Amino acid sequence: KQEVTQIPAALSVPEGENLVLNCSFTDSAIYNLQWFRQDPGKGLTSLLLIQSSQREQTSGRLNASLDKSSGRSTLYIAASQPGDSATYLCAVKAAGNKLTFGGGTRVLVKP
Amino acid sequence: EAGVAQSPRYKIIEKRQSVAFWCNPISGHATLYWYQQILGQGPKLLIQFQNNGVVDDSQLPKDRFSAERLKGVDSTLKIQPAKLEDSAVYLCASSFYLDEQYFGPGTRLTVT
């Protein structure tokens, strides 16, 4: 059974600092890995999707890496801003389009 | 393109009462998912439909939860009777068959 873990569970940084969020998974037989952002009381917004054959994906200040063999992904957010405060979730996709989510990392960026 | 719609956005009920949530997926999306997200945890899949058939309901507590997707479009998730531990956000998502899933805003349920 696939298990996804995100460490740390919560993170607080001053504005301008780079953010590093970690995600690990137990079964490397995945189709892709996706990072989502969730604001309080809202649904999930997809940030980046990395196919299993890719090593990284970038969008603006966001960069996500994937090491399938070791079961790890890292999301980097450069030059953090207060608007980056949210919960970040990673999810791995297996057969049948099934997503298994981690517990999330709650991020607070202080002005 | 309109996103996934859900209603209501918030619901407060007492334990042992019943409640129903509605989801309208993105037009043309054959696959629809219901997730339960307990506070501080990631979403957990409850049920997956493809068109109007159930693909996976292995994590649906069938003694109290039911879901249907009549005509392969809208879907309703029902809880009867509700327990305190059902307090959570219920997320609906849809995809074009097995492509990327798109999520709705969720329904926050509080059971008192």
Side-chain angles (χ1 to χ4, degrees):
Chain A
K1 179 186 171 186
Q2 178 74 269
E3 292 184 4
V4 181
T5 304
Q6 291 186 247
I7 295 173
L11 186 59
S12 180
V13 299
E15 182 177 2
E17 196 165 293
N18 296 333
L19 285 163
V20 180
L21 308 179
N22 297 300
C23 172
S24 62
F25 48 96
T26 55
D27 186 349
S28 62
I30 64 170
Y31 285 78
N32 61 45
L33 183 145
Q34 199 165 1
W35 283 93
F36 293 89
R37 169 183 172 139
Q38 186 173 34
D39 292 287
K42 302 287 179 63
L44 306 182
T45 300
S46 179
L47 297 174
L48 290 169
L49 188 153
I50 312 175
Q51 300 294 346
S52 62
S53 58
Q54 295 178 309
R55 298 283 290 185
E56 67 177 330
Q57 192 68 253
T58 298
S59 176
R61 294 185 294 114
L62 277 59
N63 174 274
S65 66
L66 174 64
D67 184 342
K68 205 172 75 156
S69 60
S70 66
R72 293 181 193 172
S73 177
T74 303
L75 177 66
Y76 300 90
I77 303 177
S80 62
Q81 304 168 359
D84 294 328
S85 298
T87 295
Y88 293 83
L89 295 156
C90 70
V92 296
K93 174 179 170 178
N97 212 26
K98 300 190 188 310
L99 291 182
T100 302
F101 285 85
T105 295
R106 194 170 63 254
V107 171
L108 176 64
V109 180
K110 296 176 288 187
Chain B
E1 173 180 273
V4 177
Q6 290 188 247
S7 67
R9 293 295 314 279
Y10 306 92
K11 190 75 176 179
I12 301 174
I13 62 172
E14 296 181 350
K15 59 184 179 183
R16 291 187 290 273
Q17 286 187 325
S18 63
V19 64
F21 313 127
W22 174 82
C23 173
N24 183 240
I26 292 172
S27 178
H29 280 193
T31 311
L32 185 147
Y33 315 77
W34 284 102
Y35 291 84
Q36 179 192 57
Q37 185 178 22
I38 293 172
L39 187 64
Q41 299 181 18
K44 180 185 81 173
L45 180 69
L46 292 175
I47 189 166
Q48 177 179 346
F49 292 94
Q50 183 154 314
N51 296 309
N52 60 352
V54 175
V55 174
D56 183 357
D57 64 356
S58 57
Q59 298 199 84
L60 186 74
K62 298 180 185 65
D63 57 335
R64 298 183 301 105
F65 286 65
S66 65
E68 61 182 9
R69 191 182 184 198
L70 300 176
K71 300 181 181 179
V73 182
D74 294 7
S75 177
T76 302
L77 176 70
K78 296 180 182 177
I79 308 175
Q80 182 180 11
K83 293 185 176 182
L84 295 176
E85 58 260 37
D86 298 331
S87 293
V89 175
Y90 291 84
L91 294 164
C92 180
S94 71
S95 67
F96 182 71
Y97 291 99
L98 301 184
D99 286 352
E100 184 175 347
Q101 296 181 32
Y102 295 85
F103 286 80
T107 296
R108 180 176 297 277
L109 173 67
T110 302
V111 183
T112 63

